[in-house]
Amino acid sequence: MNGTLENPMSTPATSTGASGRSRHRTHHRPVLYSAEKFERHEGGMDPAAREEAAHASARILLMRGRGTDEQMTERLVSFTDDYGIEMLAELWSHASAHSLPGALWRMYWLRDVVHRSPRGVSRAFELGMAEDYRSHVVAGVPDPPSADEVVRTIDEILAGLYTGDMDIAMERCAAFAHVVALGIRTDYARSAGQDSSVPGSHEVKREAVERRARLPRQAQQMEQIAHDLEAVAAQLRAVEAGQQQANGASAADSAQEKSAQEKTQTNLEAF
């Protein structure tokens, strides 16, 4: 991902956990990363070993997280509320965008943005859903998309990694990011020529100008995340189809007898 990865919305003082309860951060405050760190977060580990560690940790998290109880799922979804996004960045931000750890990193990063800026995200989503009704439906955000609803929906999407089909969770997250990107672009177009009319001090006007200047880049970042997640979802479906084809028609009955957990493990190992 090129350019600077930044939070496209403002930052509130509290975060709403997966259960819907408002919660203050008790550990590290999430930080934002430049594009260089977003794609390959610097560290002393050998690059090949670092890449393998990223893939291994992503597979282990999903294999162990799936099939657990609701409380464990909530803890996995709200992990960054307690420990900050930087811990996951150390694991996954350097991984390829079209890889399993790369997809997890983007999904958790997007959740972090939504939780820190629910009002800004809900405004962007409301503006964007008029431009692409299909993506709005796929994302599953109720209409109107209030701040509470975008928070609830992004948690539900992330929980789908552990409770449902991973490719569907990624597609929903991609649709969510796409609608937000459209909303940011709409906001940019509507605000053209309005900088001089912003009421307040010179400092307030300057901040408004700077905010508007960031909008095109922020929209591009969201759109790229949507594209990357769609690509990984397609890869997961291709892997599953390949596994089914490799089993052959004679193994159809035994494949049906496999538990969902076993199928997931097989697909992740082949991914």
Side-chain angles (χ1 to χ4, degrees):
M1 196 172 220
N2 301 320
T4 302
L5 177 65
E6 54 189 74
N7 178 9
M9 319 298 170
S10 61
T11 304
T14 61
S15 172
T16 305
S19 63
R21 298 185 298 273
S22 178
R23 54 193 292 177
H24 290 269
R25 298 185 184 280
T26 57
H27 295 280
H28 301 288
R29 183 186 183 89
V31 296
L32 303 174
Y33 290 85
S34 66
E36 182 179 6
K37 290 183 179 180
F38 186 78
E39 290 296 346
R40 41 181 212 289
H41 193 60
E42 296 295 331
M45 186 183 294
D46 174 74
R50 191 170 176 80
E51 188 74 9
E52 176 57 31
H55 282 264
S57 62
R59 288 193 298 266
I60 290 171
L61 178 71
L62 289 172
M63 285 191 291
R64 294 186 178 178
R66 292 176 64 83
T68 56
D69 58 36
E70 183 178 344
Q71 185 177 10
M72 177 57 71
T73 298
E74 181 179 331
R75 288 175 60 190
L76 290 170
V77 168
S78 63
F79 180 86
T80 57
D81 291 344
D82 294 325
Y83 301 104
I85 198 69
E86 66 269 25
M87 182 172 289
L88 296 186
E90 290 289 341
L91 283 172
W92 299 331
S93 66
H94 62 283
S96 167
H98 295 177
S99 68
L100 189 61
L104 293 181
W105 164 235
R106 282 155 178 77
M107 292 179 74
Y108 272 96
W109 178 83
L110 182 57
R111 177 190 180 273
D112 191 69
V113 168
V114 174
H115 274 251
R116 286 186 289 120
S117 310
R119 289 189 296 275
V121 173
S122 65
R123 168 178 161 75
F125 198 97
E126 186 168 16
L127 290 173
M129 70 185 195
E131 305 296 324
D132 188 343
Y133 181 75
R134 177 186 177 279
S135 291
H136 165 219
V137 172
V138 171
V141 179
D143 185 8
S146 67
D148 288 342
E149 290 294 356
V150 294
V151 166
R152 184 193 63 78
T153 302
I154 198 65
D155 281 355
E156 177 187 281
I157 290 172
L158 197 56
L161 287 173
Y162 306 105
T163 62
D165 294 324
M166 291 182 292
D167 59 320
I168 292 178
M170 291 179 187
E171 283 190 332
R172 288 187 65 192
C173 199
F176 189 106
H178 176 62
V179 173
V180 172
L182 290 174
I184 294 173
R185 289 197 176 100
T186 300
D187 188 20
Y188 179 76
R190 290 184 179 180
S191 63
Q194 296 181 4
D195 296 336
S196 59
S197 64
V198 175
S201 65
H202 173 74
E203 182 67 18
V204 171
K205 292 178 183 292
R206 183 180 65 81
E207 290 178 357
V209 170
E210 291 176 350
R211 174 190 174 279
R212 184 174 186 275
R214 292 193 296 268
L215 293 178
R217 177 60 193 148
Q218 292 165 355
Q220 182 182 354
Q221 290 168 343
M222 283 288 178
E223 198 60 66
Q224 186 62 52
I225 286 175
H227 171 76
D228 293 337
L229 290 174
E230 287 172 350
V232 179
Q235 289 180 50
L236 282 170
R237 287 193 297 272
V239 167
E240 183 172 1
Q243 290 292 321
Q244 292 174 350
Q245 185 175 5
N247 289 336
S250 61
D253 292 338
S254 61
Q256 289 178 356
E257 293 174 0
K258 277 188 174 182
S259 68
Q261 183 75 0
E262 289 174 325
K263 290 180 181 179
T264 297
Q265 181 171 346
T266 301
N267 292 338
L268 287 175
E269 288 173 349
F271 187 73

